[in-house]
């Protein structure tokens, strides 16, 4: 499937932001229970192309009891990707 490179970058960025919102929707107490943890799964971008989505929950060294939530969406065929992250704390 042909995708305009500019649209592809925007699509991956938007998808990463949406996945980040979902990753951060867990209650913080539940996030603490699963940190550190990550997973990778295959998904589909809105354009229909197959992408790889990686979600990570990592301890941050910047402040105590804070978790860095990171999401990366990669188009392995197009060798492009986008990343979004947020730090959550009590």
């Amino acid at each position: 499937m042909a995708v305009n490179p500019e649209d592809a970058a925007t699509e991956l960025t938007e998808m990463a932001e949406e996945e980040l919102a979902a990753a951060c929707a867990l209650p913080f107490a539940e996030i603490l229970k699963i940190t550190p943890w990550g997973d990778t799964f295959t998904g589909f971008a809105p354009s229909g192309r197959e992408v790889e989505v990686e979600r990570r929950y990592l301890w941050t060294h910047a402040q105590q009891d804070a978790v860095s939530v990171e999401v990366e969406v990669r188009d392995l065929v197009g060798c492009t990707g986008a990343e979004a992250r947020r730090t959550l704390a009590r």
Side-chain angles (χ1 to χ4, degrees):
M1 169 172 289
V3 178
N4 178 328
E6 285 183 25
D7 292 341
T10 300
E11 177 182 55
L12 295 179
T13 299
E14 289 174 358
M15 191 171 177
E17 290 292 337
E18 287 175 11
E19 289 292 330
L20 179 64
C24 292
L26 283 173
F28 191 70
E30 295 301 311
I31 290 174
L32 288 176
K33 290 178 185 178
I34 63 170
T35 302
W37 176 78
D39 71 333
T40 303
F41 58 93
T42 301
F44 292 93
S47 65
R49 66 189 162 140
E50 192 172 287
V51 295
E52 185 175 79
V53 180
E54 184 173 351
R55 208 185 257 198
R56 300 178 291 267
Y57 296 89
L58 305 168
W59 295 114
T60 180
H61 297 288
Q63 72 189 82
Q64 190 174 4
D65 287 337
V67 176
S68 177
V69 182
E70 303 173 350
V71 173
E72 188 174 353
V73 179
R74 297 181 288 264
D75 176 355
L76 300 178
V77 174
C79 298
T80 59
E83 198 169 352
R85 71 181 57 166
R86 185 175 304 151
T87 299
L88 303 177
R90 290 185 199 262

